[in-house]
Amino acid sequence: MIHVKQLQKNFGRAHILRGIDCDIEESEVVCVIGPSGSGKSTFLRCLNGLEEASGGEILVDGIKVNDPHIDLNAMRAGVGMVFQRFNLFPHMSVLDNLIMAPMQVKKMSKAQAVLVAEKLLQKVGLLDKIDAFPNQLSGGQQQRVAIARALAMEPKVMLFDEPTSALDPELVGEVLAVMKALAEEGMTMVVVTHEMAFAREVADRVFFIDQGVIMEQGPPEQVLGSPHNERTRDFLCKVL
Ligand code: ADP
Ligand code: MG
């Protein structure tokens, strides 16, 4: 589903991604861990074309993301992304947040888009908030709406960039539960997270990114439980 070869990214003279290589299968869940500033967000943003790669190759569902000729909007429709915060359009109701992109990008009728939105809100447990505005929701509820909104585009892949880092601790679980359910349904997911318990339980593989490369990768029990790489061990000592 995702093929990345020698991905490079420079910001000016700063060489941030220094040759990322990976292949991610359909239905696979990959959790990405690593120190702050190591390039985790930049990696995700390159995967959906929010950042232009400086070199290398990225294919998502067979589409060459870093080809200047591709239709980025069409490509992004297939890749959902949930950020740490500021996901929702604050001036729109929950329903309007969910139906806008399907109507504009997928040319779905309003009636159809509303049906899809209702189904997804049901799934994330927030159908009763359909007419609420984002500022009337808790952070956890906002993130669940953000996940539903991304799913409304029927993506092939979902990218999550620290989706629970900005939440009060008691709200983290409800968002992780929605993500876990999605993983169990077979969604292909790449999740940057500090939630090691989630990574252990849900990830098929964990990538440890440091200084712009995947320093170590493998099943969660190996990378988190008995890391081979000294830098992985150092990092885990700090966060666990
Ligand atoms: P992480 O998500 O692992 O904390 P990031 O991918 O956000 O790391 O950032 C990696 C490095 O790239 C950091 O040093 C950051 O300052 C730099 N960086 C990220 N985005 C930009 C940008 N748009 N312009 C310049 N530097 C950037
Ligand atoms: Mg980041």
Side-chain angles (χ1 to χ4, degrees):
M1 184 60 78
I2 301 175
H3 169 77
V4 177
K5 198 169 163 192
Q6 277 303 304
L7 169 60
Q8 309 276 340
K9 177 66 186 174
N10 301 307
F11 288 113
R13 281 189 309 184
H15 194 186
I16 300 301
L17 298 183
R18 302 162 173 256
I20 299 239
D21 290 295
C22 66
D23 285 287
I24 298 173
E25 303 295 319
E26 187 170 358
S27 292
E28 206 180 356
V29 177
V30 170
C31 283
V32 178
I33 61 170
S36 178
S38 58
K40 304 179 300 295
S41 295
T42 305
F43 171 52
L44 281 199
R45 293 165 63 83
C46 285
L47 286 183
N48 78 345
L50 276 178
E51 294 287 357
E52 198 184 332
S54 310
E57 199 175 274
I58 307 171
L59 285 157
V60 177
D61 195 24
I63 299 172
K64 214 169 166 187
V65 175
N66 50 340
D67 177 342
H69 304 296
I70 68 153
D71 177 351
L72 269 180
N73 283 329
M75 191 281 295
R76 283 191 196 128
V79 182
M81 183 139 174
V82 176
F83 303 90
Q84 198 169 357
R85 58 172 77 187
F86 308 126
N87 269 290
L88 301 174
F89 302 116
H91 57 291
M92 286 185 190
S93 70
V94 165
L95 178 65
D96 287 339
N97 264 280
L98 263 75
I99 65 177
M100 193 188 79
M103 287 169 61
Q104 287 191 356
V105 181
K106 291 206 149 190
K107 310 294 174 206
M108 215 181 258
S109 71
K110 182 164 184 182
Q112 178 65 27
V114 170
L115 273 179
V116 171
E118 287 172 347
K119 199 186 83 196
L120 290 169
L121 286 172
Q122 176 94 50
K123 183 176 172 139
V124 301
L126 290 171
L127 189 51
D128 59 326
K129 300 294 184 192
I130 191 162
D131 294 318
F133 281 78
N135 66 6
Q136 298 169 321
L137 303 177
S138 72
Q141 291 171 333
Q142 289 186 39
Q143 280 304 55
R144 283 148 67 199
V145 172
I147 294 170
R149 187 179 64 175
L151 292 176
M153 294 298 282
E154 300 178 303
K156 289 288 191 73
V157 173
M158 284 283 285
L159 309 176
F160 294 87
D161 194 357
E162 301 195 26
T164 60
S165 298
L167 299 178
D168 290 331
E170 74 273 21
L171 304 178
V172 168
E174 64 191 63
V175 175
L176 295 179
V178 167
M179 292 166 61
K180 187 177 171 211
L182 197 57
E184 282 166 356
E185 282 171 24
M187 178 62 75
T188 308
M189 295 169 44
V190 184
V191 184
V192 176
T193 187
H194 298 293
E195 296 292 333
M196 298 300 164
F198 176 84
R200 263 178 205 274
E201 192 184 341
V202 180
D204 297 298
R205 270 191 296 162
V206 172
F207 293 175
F208 172 65
I209 293 190
D210 192 21
Q211 299 175 345
V213 297
I214 300 176
M215 285 270 178
E216 179 159 8
Q217 61 152 303
E221 52 278 17
Q222 185 258 302
V223 176
L224 304 177
S226 50
H228 301 317
N229 190 294
E230 194 180 333
R231 298 193 70 93
T232 317
R233 282 201 292 273
D234 281 353
F235 173 74
L236 290 171
C237 279
K238 287 178 193 140
V239 298
L240 288 177

